Amino acid sequence: MGREVFITRRERFSAAHKLFKEEWSDEKNMEVFGKCANSNWHGHNYVLFVTVKGSVTEDTGFVMDLKLLSDLIKTLVIEHLDHKNINLDTPFMKGIMASTENICMGIWDQLVGPIAAEGATLHSLKLEETENNYVEYYGG
Ligand code: NI
């Protein structure tokens, strides 16, 4: 087993969502979700960090071609989120509360297989919803 190196690609997307449970009253939704329960939606400028680990290929010196990683993230994730309404438009978020935690796990499920198919391992995701709030997921 060679030495393991971690590489990270950052991608950004802007998307609308709301956090709202239909079976709850407006008051209860506002109490639990605050401004994110606004019924007419609101948006965030999300920042996604995708960290992949693996050993370095001798010929290239790469763990994984970052252009290829970027293309996978764009095709499988960003195209389904950027300038979309996450609650309504994003196939892998259908019927799932559009919290940063759930979006992060949804993104994981999109990427883990295709990255493995390229001979690398998805190590972690970090998804920033705001400057002050972010979620990390390690696939557990
Ligand atoms: Ni929000």
Side-chain angles (χ1 to χ4, degrees), residues 31 35 59 108 123:
E31 183 190 317
K35 284 194 290 188
D59 288 338
W108 180 279
H123 173 69

Side-chain angles (χ1 to χ4, degrees), residues 10-131:
R10 180 185 70 160
E11 300 286 346
R12 288 177 281 194
F13 60 93
S14 301
H17 80 155
K18 68 178 171 185
L19 300 178
F20 195 88
K21 269 183 99 71
E22 296 296 338
E23 55 268 45
W24 289 355
S25 66
D26 287 356
E27 292 73 23
K28 169 103 191 220
N29 273 292
M30 207 44 92
E31 183 190 317
V32 173
F33 298 123
K35 284 194 290 188
C36 275
N38 176 35
S39 58
N40 285 331
W41 318 100
H42 66 279
H44 296 282
N45 295 316
Y46 292 91
V47 186
L48 172 67
F49 296 86
V50 178
T51 300
V52 167
K53 70 177 176 182
S55 52
V56 169
T57 303
E58 198 177 333
D59 288 338
T60 59
F62 295 162
V63 169
M64 179 178 176
D65 183 342
L66 278 165
K67 174 72 171 78
L68 175 59
L69 178 58
S70 171
D71 288 346
L72 284 178
I73 301 166
K74 282 187 178 129
T75 308
L76 300 170
V77 174
I78 304 298
E79 278 183 19
H80 298 301
L81 290 167
D82 190 39
H83 288 71
K84 306 283 189 192
N85 180 317
I86 297 171
N87 298 70
L88 302 179
D89 300 329
T90 305
F92 61 83
M93 292 302 294
K94 278 266 150 32
I96 299 169
M97 183 70 70
S99 65
T100 315
E101 293 88 329
N102 283 339
I103 299 165
C104 204
M105 290 189 285
I107 293 171
W108 180 279
D109 293 341
Q110 297 303 109
L111 291 176
V112 65
I115 289 171
E118 296 298 333
T121 302
L122 179 57
H123 173 69
S124 65
L125 298 178
K126 175 178 163 183
L127 183 60
E128 295 178 348
E129 188 184 64
T130 68
E131 271 179 29

